[in-house]
Each structure stands twice: as structure tokens, then as C-alpha cells.
Amino acid sequence: MAGASRDLEKARKAAADPKRPGKLCRAEPASYKPVVDRNKCEGKSDCIAVCPHDVFEIGRIPDDEFRAMSFFIRLKMTAHGRKTAFTPRADACQACGLCVVACPEKAIRLVELAA
């Protein structure tokens, strides 16, 4: 169910962050895309907790991506259960930037897509 995992307190805190990038949820859907840095993401789900458009889900990093990472990143990923954020509904993103400021690892950025 969309929004079922949302944490309104975290979302309010992220919305008040002066470093929040994006278009404050006013961008056309699919004009921006959230990009997750797998070397930083620990799958803590804060992106899910604040996203009003249900863009994210947490899953296990694929074996091929995992093997391509450095030894130290693989150690960190293993310690966190090899969990990472995925963006299966990136086309719903409206660039509110809440995920960017809520991510404790600073592993998410918004990328504007060419028209």
C-alpha cells in the first residue's frame, strides 16, 4: 500500500531542512530521478519513510554489483545485510528532495532528466 511506511515526523524534519534540493514536489513526474549511491547506502529505509510518491523500496544488492565493489564496501554491505535502496517507481518522483536530506548516509541525489 502506497505511503504505508511513511514516517510523518521524519518527513516534516526533512521538509524543514534548509539544504533540501529539488522542486518541493512541484516538478512534473519523471522529470527528475533519484539516484542511489550503492557504495554509501546501508538500506536504512529513511527514503521510504519520507517519500510521498512511493518511489523507493529496500532490497538485497545483486551478486554482480556486490562482487564489483571494493573489499571494504563489501564488508560494510555484508554488515548491513547487503540491503540497499532501489527506485522501481522513479518515474513517480516529483523532486521534493525529502529523500536526499533524510538519508543518513547521504547516498541519494536528484538528477534532472533531459526533456
Side-chain angles (χ1 to χ4, degrees):
M1 178 164 80
S5 299
R6 287 210 58 222
D7 181 326
L8 295 179
E9 186 58 36
K10 279 186 183 181
R12 277 192 280 277
K13 183 177 178 185
D17 191 314
K19 295 178 185 165
R20 178 178 163 198
K23 301 292 181 183
L24 306 177
C25 288
R26 294 187 185 108
E28 287 294 317
S31 61
Y32 281 78
K33 174 178 141 183
V35 176
V36 178
D37 183 341
R38 302 252 190 270
N39 290 316
K40 294 180 179 178
C41 180
E42 296 177 0
K44 292 182 177 170
S45 304
D46 289 48
C47 50
I48 292 172
V50 300
C51 181
H53 302 290
D54 200 28
V55 168
F56 297 91
E57 65 184 40
I58 300 298
R60 186 174 166 88
I61 193 161
D63 290 340
D64 59 330
E65 280 187 58
F66 181 74
R67 283 190 299 271
M69 294 176 159
S70 75
F71 174 75
F72 292 109
I73 297 297
R74 288 195 316 265
L75 277 178
K76 182 181 93 164
M77 292 291 291
T78 300
H80 293 284
R82 288 180 58 180
K83 294 187 298 183
T84 191
F86 291 93
T87 58
R89 293 167 294 282
D91 59 341
C93 179
Q94 292 185 13
C96 66
L98 296 176
C99 58
V100 175
V101 295
C103 179
E105 293 85 31
K106 306 297 180 217
I108 303 171
R109 62 187 171 90
L110 290 177
V111 175
E112 188 170 12
L113 302 174

